[in-house]
Amino acid sequence: MRDFIFIIGASGIGKTTLAKKLYEHYKGAYVEMSMIPEFGVPEGVDEGLFEEQVCWESSVTQVKKFWELGIRNIVALDFDDLRTRDIPEVFKVFNYITIKLVCSDYRQNYEQMKNRGNGLIDFELLEKMSQKINARKCLVNEFELDIAGKTVEQVFIEALEIIEHKEIKMEYDYVKPKKELFYSWVFSNGLR
């Protein structure tokens, strides 16, 4: 049993599909950063940065509240990749695991995104996002799962294997990696 299961990866790679299957399996809780209710943005602030910050902080508060209420195997996803580097800091005292979905066959990710019917359709951006996420080293308690050539069921079984059998660190020193190593759909300061 894990306190938190974080799913990260490029758009269209199957994060939501995997997260929903994990939620059905574990019966914990399911939180997507995009589930935060609508809210107004104060005048004079960067709308994108403010929205991302509110969604991130609200998601963190929500998953921690579920934990306080005794719920475990809380599946959380859809964070900006740059926020991934905050997870080892914010959740240090918890039994958490992060699964980084990657696809070594970009064409597969491209086709999945093209056939999705909604969401991101900027394929140049998708390629940059995939390259950046795939290239960075795994963080503390983060494990990579390559979906290339695999069915949804195969990815699910591999994810269960990672969640249930990989050893994680509960005590560690953590130095946040440089933000330039991460993809960000929000921050426009060269992270794309």
Side-chain angles (χ1 to χ4, degrees):
M1 184 177 297
R2 302 286 182 192
D3 293 332
F4 304 102
I5 301 163
F6 298 104
I7 311 292
I8 62 108
S11 294
I13 203 160
K15 297 184 301 287
T16 300
T17 302
L18 175 60
K20 286 181 177 178
K21 287 185 76 65
L22 290 172
Y23 168 69
E24 289 170 12
H25 179 79
Y26 288 118
K27 307 287 189 233
Y30 175 90
V31 177
E32 282 191 50
M33 191 163 138
S34 60
M35 292 175 157
I36 303 305
E38 293 294 319
F39 54 87
V41 177
E43 287 187 34
V45 299
D46 182 300
E47 186 174 334
L49 295 176
F50 183 80
E51 180 180 316
E52 191 278 338
Q53 181 182 359
V54 169
C55 288
W56 165 251
E57 291 179 13
S58 297
S59 296
V60 168
T61 300
Q62 188 175 23
V63 298
K64 284 185 173 181
K65 185 48 123 178
F66 281 133
W67 184 87
E68 287 174 14
L69 294 170
I71 298 171
R72 299 299 181 264
N73 293 318
I74 299 161
V75 181
L77 67 149
D78 219 17
F79 306 114
D80 188 31
D81 185 54
L82 185 61
R83 286 296 182 182
T84 303
R85 72 188 196 129
D86 293 334
I87 292 172
E89 197 170 65
V90 174
F91 294 93
K92 185 172 184 172
V93 299
F94 296 96
N95 177 353
Y96 76 90
I97 194 162
T98 302
I99 297 176
K100 178 171 87 164
L101 296 180
V102 299
C103 189
S104 58
D105 177 7
Y106 172 72
R107 196 80 199 147
Q108 179 181 333
N109 193 191
Y110 175 88
E111 289 299 322
Q112 283 176 202
M113 195 66 199
K114 188 171 91 176
N115 295 324
R116 192 163 97 167
N118 62 3
L120 176 74
I121 54 171
D122 183 338
F123 295 108
E124 181 181 337
L125 193 59
L126 176 64
E127 186 172 13
K128 288 178 183 177
M129 178 191 316
S130 298
Q131 288 170 349
K132 197 145 211 170
I133 292 172
N134 291 3
R136 77 165 173 77
K137 293 180 182 176
C138 286
L139 304 173
V140 178
N141 298 335
E142 182 178 46
F143 300 89
E144 194 171 277
L145 196 166
D146 190 347
I147 67 152
K150 295 174 184 162
T151 65
V152 168
E153 193 61 29
Q154 289 170 319
V155 170
F156 173 65
I157 290 168
E158 274 192 52
L160 287 179
E161 183 69 23
I162 290 169
I163 293 163
E164 295 177 4
H165 299 288
K166 290 289 187 181
E167 287 189 35
I168 59 137
K169 296 177 181 175
M170 293 293 290
E171 294 185 28
Y172 52 83
D173 292 323
Y174 179 67
V175 177
K176 250 189 213 183
K178 293 178 183 178
K179 64 183 178 182
E180 291 78 19
L181 297 173
F182 296 80
Y183 173 81
S184 178
W185 53 269
V186 175
F187 299 90
S188 59
N189 51 358
L191 302 180
R192 291 184 178 179

